[in-house]
Amino acid sequence: MTTPIETLEFQSEARQLLQLMIHSIYSNKDTFLRELVSNASDALDKLRLESYRDKDLGADTSDLHITIETDPAERTLTVRDNGIGMTRDEVVALIGTIAKSGTADFLTKLKEAKDAAASQDLIGQFGVGFYASFMVADKVTLVTRKAGTSEGVRWESTGEGTYTIQPVEDAPQGTAVTLHLKPEDTDDHLYDYTSAAKIREIVKRYSDFITWPIRMQGEGDEAETVNSMKALWARSSSEVSEDEYHEFYKHISHDWQDPLETIRLQAEGTFEYQALLFLPSRAPMDLFLRERKRGVQLYVKRVFIMDDCESLVPEYLRFVKGVVDAQDLSLNVSREILQQDRQIQLIRRRLVKKVLSTVKTMMTADAEKYATFWREFGRAVKEGLLDDFENREAILEIASFASTHDAEKPTSLRDYVSRMKEGQEHIYYMTGESRSAIENSPHMEAFRAKGYEVLVLTDPIDEMWVDAVPAFDGKQFQSIAKGQVDLESEEDKKATEVAREQQKKDFESLLTWMAKALDEDVKEVRLSSRLTTSPACIVGDTHDLTPTLEKMYRAMGQELPPIKRILELNPDHALVKGLREAHASRPDDEGLAETAELLYGMALLAEGGELADPSRFIKLLAGRLEKTL
Ligand SMILES: Nc1ncnc2c1ncn2[C@@H]1O[C@H](COP(=O)(O)OP(=O)(O)OP(=O)(O)O)[C@@H](O)[C@H]1O
């Protein structure tokens, strides 16, 4: 009986990625083997776990291992495992498509990448898995049989748009990937991958720690295990080189770049566990996507139990990768059980503290590394200010923020506090959509004139945490765009008291009238002490939502009542003075209400806000301009 061969098309993203691999400029081509061995090792992990859970699986788990065979005459290399395998539908779904989040984004960036180095960097960051085979092979054949089923599948492709798929009757359990190798070309970093010595070298370098035996044909007929199989996390750190840690990181994270930092943790005694964690050097593409995953794997007594163990790290540290191996848990633990488990909760507390303290040390020990960390992950870490009450102080300690003190370099809160002026009680900040909108906003004027430093907060999460976190080091956070501002010293206040009282009286009638005229937009009109050059600005009450937050909530579909803020006038500005005089002499002039409206509109534009009715604003403004000509 002949078996039908189907020809199927790769999904379009997969096709694009394959083209990139075929014409790869990625110089470290040896990495294809790491990807294949990594997949084989995962497949063995999955089978072992599945057989614990399903006693009737009917799979052979007696000698789980990986074999690598080379055939110099045929120019082939085969990586074989007797793990979980794939069904036909799984092959189509897993190998014919890329389901990874952030793929489209990655491909766009790659197209925009200016040079080879930039695209290498991106490929490394994305990690291309199985498709890396096409860097070194012009044809790939995969034969697989899912453990517990009887029929196998053969998949084959040259990577050019389509692949074939066909049932096979006598496939062994697991997966064998055979690469039909491209000709050797050392200038292009294509080495002789049919050479057993070369393969051994690559396995030692990239995959030594794999906990399954990786076997190759030895001198005689005997197969030899080429890796040491030692779980890195269980070895003392003096025995493990930095390179080994880095390769392990790449294995578990599928990142192609070295991690920024390696963190080890060991607990002994009644409750024993080891953890080996990594801070990546780049944020993953999915850091802020909904389907993002957490990166810590759970092992129990060296046995892989699960990926993305969300009970081990809080959401805001989702970028931390690594392994936790606990000695006293049951191999049958489920995600639900873990959530309740007291030991897991203790591990999690300790991991969080360790990660935060590592970053704290990095701040002083290696400022550049810290800057990278914060640039990549700061936005996620700040979510912890809302979620992790217990570690709030520690998170504030390791946070840094853009500030008016230095346009280039963010500041820590500690440093901000050390620069606070005498008598300054608050940590001043302003939230907004961009640095320039904040810096050019009228609210900044008096702070700039008087030399007060202001934190420039532009991340959406900043809008949230500033409302939730009351203080740092006993100093309250104070928005310069909210509430009353009082920047004058007691002495200055005394000196100007009489003049201020007089000003209040002079402006009383204007303020009352304007509040009425602008009743629909503002809840109060008052004199400002934060303006030096602008005529007016709009401020919120201390507990009001900021305009950005209001916009965010509305965008999420939340119903909100209209939020009115306060209009503040600069009593020293010619326009405000003129309006006061005009109102005193012609209280019934209807044009004055329009001037008040324009003044409000200008204040809104100055803070980067949006006018409710731009065409009316333009009409009024054009009318006024006309009169000046
Ligand atoms: N040897 C194998 N045995 C069983 N399943 C496999 C094997 N190799 C690959 N797969 C399946 O195909 C999927 C895709 O593999 P691929 O290497 O492209 O990506 P990945 O390992 O999931 O992640 P990454 O792209 O980050 O390396 C795997 O997640 C796995 O489910």
Side-chain angles (χ1 to χ4, degrees), residues 17 35-44 46 79-81 83-86 90-91 93-95 97-98 100 126-132 142 144 174-177 250-251 253-256:
L17 194 54
E35 300 297 323
L36 293 180
V37 170
S38 216
N39 285 347
S41 157
D42 291 349
L44 296 169
K46 283 182 200 159
V79 178
R80 193 188 301 281
D81 66 71
I84 190 83
M86 286 174 272
E90 281 170 341
V91 173
L94 298 168
I95 306 291
T97 64
I98 322 172
K100 203 153 143 172
F126 186 74
V128 288
F130 175 75
Y131 289 177
L142 176 149
T144 184
T175 305
V177 178
K250 291 174 188 170
H251 164 65
S253 66
H254 299 282
D255 188 350
W256 287 25

Side-chain angles (χ1 to χ4, degrees), residues 400-415:
S400 51
F401 304 97
S403 135
T404 53
H405 173 71
D406 187 328
E408 307 293 326
K409 209 171 145 260
T411 179
S412 68
L413 292 173
R414 257 300 133 232
D415 289 347

Side-chain angles (χ1 to χ4, degrees), residues 39-65 81-86 145-149 172-175 212 303-305:
N39 285 347
S41 157
D42 291 349
L44 296 169
D45 285 340
K46 283 182 200 159
L47 177 61
R48 175 165 54 181
L49 197 63
E50 195 59 32
S51 65
Y52 280 130
R53 301 212 163 129
D54 179 2
K55 297 285 176 234
D56 307 323
L57 188 65
D60 176 11
T61 56
S62 55
D63 178 27
L64 298 180
H65 66 278
D81 66 71
N82 53 355
I84 190 83
M86 286 174 272
R145 177 166 66 82
K146 179 98 175 181
T149 70
Q173 167 188 307
T175 305
W212 301 104
V303 175
F304 170 82
I305 304 291

